Amino acid sequence: MEDKKIIFSAVQPSGNITLGNYLGAIKNWVDLQADYHCCYSIVDEHSLTIRQDPVLLRKRTLDLLKIYIACGIDPVENILFIQSHVPAHAQLAWILNCYTYMGELSRMTQFKDKSQKHADNINAGLFTYPVLMAADILLYGADLVPVGKDQMQHIEITRDIALRFNSIYGDVFKIPEGFMPKAGAKIMSLTEPLKKMSKSDENPKAYISILDDFNIIAKKIKSAITDSEGVIEYRENDETKAGINNLLTIMSAVTGRRIEDIASDYQGKGYGDFKADVAEAVVEHIRPIRQKYDELSQDKAYLVDIYTRGAERANHIADKTLKKVYKKVGFIV
Ligand code: ATP
Ligand code: LTN
């Protein structure tokens, strides 16, 4: 792993992957894989911070692996693995917990949002979630972490923890950078376009799942909340345009065209036409992914092989970093 730089990123198997997850993260991973050594994980340990049904968690973990591959991530060139198969993540997280302050964790907006949403289960894992994420990233010496906008605060705290550790023990961790896509870093909910699209939204109309039936995807887009002005124009800071801004962003991300060019095609046209075209563009973009996904669903042995090999390779790298950290802090190794 000397020549190319290293990427680490991950998604939680906590629900059906949304168009937001895909455009904000996974699509970018696909685009970056040629130029980097990439480690892409399915972070099942992170998803336990919210109560999960065990049967469903197992299913979603495999579904997510299929989605990674179906989206175009090469499972041979890159390391695809399941977080709980690599014990070093939890082991390093413990150590890093001792170098992270309660004050900085309590400023995390994801913690504040999730503890409001799940007021009956504000567990310690939810609070220290960013520390496990820091361990994920630092174990692999990642240079770059491609994520959606909502995760940038967690990349910042990862950098802070790594710098703090390095300032005590020398040059142990590489300091990673976050990386966001140009279009799609924050896809908004279809029903409340001032909120981000989230796979754990209790209203399924708010999000598009990559695994939704194509008719349902079209229906959801056609009934997306917009405004009554009837003008298809992107206005960044105009909250009343949040719905239209979002649909323009989605269209731009799936077609690769500039937002202004798309908007100018629709001058004088109505929202109905525009939404129908967005729906078609999204469905056409997802169609080959779904086809590949369905093929992969027929071959469980192949998936087991991929995650087994992924775990071997990930363990090899992660154990080396962990050993270095153990030595530095004074453990007998
Ligand atoms: P949950 O609802 O369970 O919190 P989530 O849908 O927010 O989940 P995560 O697993 O937390 O998804 O995120 C996976 C990746 O997708 C991260 O890189 C995150 O930044 C990105 N992402 C999540 N939601 C969006 C969104 N609406 N727009 C763009 N990127 C997103
Ligand atoms: N917290 C991330 C998932 C995640 C992650 C990571 C992303 C866990 N560990 C390491 C990038 C790098 C989220 O999407 N909610």
Side-chain angles (χ1 to χ4, degrees):
M1 285 220 178
E2 323 71 31
D3 44 340
K4 291 184 188 170
K5 291 196 167 185
I6 299 167
I7 279 186
F8 184 95
S9 198
V11 175
Q12 307 179 69
S14 53
N16 291 324
I17 288 302
T18 68
L19 192 65
N21 299 137
Y22 172 68
L23 296 177
I26 303 173
K27 182 167 180 290
N28 227 347
W29 304 357
V30 178
D31 298 340
L32 291 162
Q33 64 183 334
D35 300 322
Y36 291 83
H37 287 297
C38 305
C39 307
Y40 295 127
S41 185
I42 296 160
V43 283
D44 49 355
E45 292 172 342
H46 275 103
S47 63
L48 276 196
T49 56
I50 305 295
R51 204 65 78 223
Q52 304 289 336
D53 174 87
V55 174
L56 211 52
L57 180 59
R58 240 186 307 272
K59 176 182 182 304
R60 284 173 170 162
T61 300
L62 271 194
D63 283 353
L64 193 48
L65 180 63
K66 288 187 258 174
I67 287 179
Y68 284 4
I69 302 170
C71 288
I73 295 166
D74 184 327
V76 176
E77 286 297 316
N78 305 296
I79 302 179
L80 302 190
F81 71 99
I82 297 167
Q83 186 185 35
S84 62
H85 292 179
V86 183
H89 291 245
Q91 291 168 308
L92 181 61
W94 171 256
I95 294 178
L96 297 181
N97 266 320
C98 303
Y99 298 82
T100 306
Y101 297 114
M102 306 278 285
E104 54 189 348
L105 287 174
S106 57
R107 285 195 290 276
M108 295 294 113
T109 47
Q110 179 178 294
F111 172 68
K112 290 188 233 173
D113 289 352
K114 294 219 165 168
S115 39
Q116 229 172 36
K117 243 169 120 184
H118 305 276
D120 55 336
N121 181 21
I122 307 177
N123 60 72
L126 192 63
F127 190 63
T128 61
Y129 177 114
V131 183
L132 180 59
M133 180 160 162
D136 297 340
I137 297 168
L138 299 175
L139 278 173
Y140 299 89
D143 297 278
L144 207 66
V145 187
V147 285
K149 193 170 177 192
D150 62 305
Q151 293 300 313
M152 288 307 270
Q153 199 184 26
H154 290 162
I155 310 290
E156 276 308 309
I157 197 174
T158 298
R159 291 165 58 89
D160 292 343
I161 296 168
L163 285 166
R164 185 172 303 139
F165 195 92
N166 284 358
S167 75
I168 306 170
Y169 299 105
D171 218 5
V172 181
F173 294 125
K174 181 143 355 125
I175 309 302
E177 304 266 350
F179 182 84
M180 283 193 289
K182 277 195 214 78
K186 192 168 186 189
I187 302 296
M188 309 310 281
S189 151
L190 298 177
T191 51
E192 294 171 82
L194 294 173
K195 261 179 43 184
K196 86 162 185 156
M197 182 182 284
S198 166
K199 62 171 121 70
S200 52
D201 203 307
E202 60 273 358
N203 180 1
K205 289 188 179 147
Y207 60 83
I208 291 169
S209 160
I210 296 284
L211 301 180
D212 273 343
D213 197 83
F214 292 148
N215 289 328
I216 302 224
I217 294 180
K219 248 192 214 148
K220 285 181 181 177
I221 293 178
K222 287 178 188 164
S223 58
I225 297 294
T226 47
D227 55 80
S228 53
E229 189 190 20
V231 177
I232 299 164
E233 191 174 273
Y234 190 91
R235 280 186 235 134
E236 176 87 51
N237 296 318
D238 182 348
E239 289 197 350
T240 65
K241 291 310 268 187
I244 287 293
N245 289 350
N246 193 34
L247 292 177
L248 281 166
T249 304
I250 291 174
M251 188 73 159
S252 164
V254 297
T255 60
R257 297 181 63 215
R258 285 159 20 110
I259 286 182
E260 305 86 86
D261 295 341
I262 297 166
S264 77
D265 286 353
Y266 290 94
Q267 268 184 25
K269 293 196 183 159
Y271 289 171
D273 289 341
F274 176 53
K275 284 177 169 177
D277 289 351
V278 175
E280 193 186 328
V282 169
V283 166
E284 287 318 310
H285 192 91
I286 293 178
R287 192 184 298 279
I289 298 177
R290 279 290 283 285
Q291 201 175 345
K292 180 86 188 151
Y293 176 91
D294 291 339
E295 279 165 33
L296 289 165
S297 300
Q298 308 302 316
D299 199 350
K300 173 99 192 279
Y302 172 73
L303 299 172
V304 173
D305 189 54
I306 296 297
Y307 72 61
T308 307
R309 271 194 44 74
E312 270 167 28
R313 294 163 74 195
N315 270 306
H316 182 74
I317 302 169
D319 282 344
K320 273 201 212 160
T321 309
L322 186 68
K323 200 162 175 200
K324 196 162 149 192
V325 170
Y326 273 14
K327 278 192 192 152
K328 291 285 184 185
V329 299
F331 292 171
I332 295 174
V333 291

